[in-house]
Amino acid sequence: MLSFYLSVVSLFGLFTVHPFYISLTDMVYKADEQRLEIAQKIFWDDLEVALSRKYKTQVDFLNTSDRILLDEMVREYLLDQNKIHVNGQLISLEYLGHEVEEDAAWFYFESTNVPRPREVMVMNTILTGEFPTQQNIVNFYVDQRPKSIITTVDKPEGELRF
């Protein structure tokens, strides 16, 4: 599983123009703080397409004239596309911001007062409305051990048990 994960991560760095549609989400449960930390890596050019369609305006991650407006659009879109239930309870996510890299961007979230996960239901529909072949890899870590799911347009959610 680790080799698969590393292969996917390395794919993000190999292509400037990518012939595939994929995102990567890492969710790490911090037991001592009862906090869930989330980092999502998404090709920013694909996200520009989704945001431009949703908000009916041109979106440009590299040359934005209004970073605050861009962050608000990103926050609203990503919070709508990501839903996480821990032990049957929907958790509230706080958007922390993003960093743009060469061909992708990292988006950061956290949630506090999260009970120790026994059962996690993840809905991730990032870009599936714009790109029918979009795949979203989700890794959820508890005690440094990951469990993973892949969501698609036909399978927008998955369940993990710890």
Side-chain angles (χ1 to χ4, degrees):
M1 182 56 127
L2 181 59
S3 63
F4 172 75
Y5 172 73
L6 293 173
S7 297
V8 170
V9 171
S10 66
L11 286 176
F12 276 103
L14 294 178
F15 300 98
T16 306
V17 177
H18 54 89
F20 56 91
Y21 299 96
I22 193 165
S23 77
L24 173 66
T25 302
D26 282 335
M27 300 182 185
V28 179
Y29 180 70
K30 302 285 188 170
D32 55 332
E33 302 169 36
Q34 289 191 313
R35 185 174 72 219
L36 186 60
E37 297 175 350
I38 300 169
Q40 291 189 307
K41 191 169 189 179
I42 304 168
F43 287 111
W44 53 260
D45 59 334
D46 296 339
L47 189 54
E48 284 177 342
V49 170
L51 295 175
S52 294
R53 285 183 187 166
K54 178 176 174 83
Y55 296 103
K56 303 197 183 341
T57 187
Q58 187 63 35
V59 175
D60 187 339
F61 273 91
L62 299 181
N63 300 303
T64 186
S65 60
D66 189 342
R67 174 135 177 141
I68 293 171
L69 178 60
L70 176 62
D71 262 341
E72 181 56 32
M73 289 188 292
V74 166
R75 184 190 72 75
E76 183 179 310
Y77 176 81
L78 292 178
L79 288 175
D80 187 50
Q81 304 301 310
N82 289 287
K83 302 291 183 212
I84 305 162
H85 290 80
V86 174
N87 305 335
Q89 297 293 327
L90 178 65
I91 65 166
S92 176
L93 298 175
E94 179 184 352
Y95 176 70
L96 302 175
H98 73 273
E99 298 176 297
V100 176
E101 293 181 343
E102 187 173 315
D103 56 355
W106 282 100
F107 301 89
Y108 303 101
F109 302 86
E110 73 175 7
S111 184
T112 56
N113 298 318
V114 178
R116 182 168 186 77
R118 294 180 317 275
E119 178 183 294
V120 178
M121 178 65 73
V122 176
M123 182 210 72
N124 180 328
T125 56
I126 293 171
L127 301 175
T128 57
E130 287 70 36
F131 305 102
T133 60
Q134 174 75 27
Q135 295 184 339
N136 299 309
I137 300 168
V138 179
N139 301 307
F140 198 107
Y141 294 80
V142 175
D143 298 329
Q144 300 179 355
R145 292 187 320 254
K147 292 199 175 187
S148 302
I149 60 169
I150 297 176
T151 65
T152 64
V153 70
D154 296 323
K155 187 179 177 274
E157 59 187 29
E159 185 175 346
L160 303 166
R161 294 185 185 273
F162 295 91

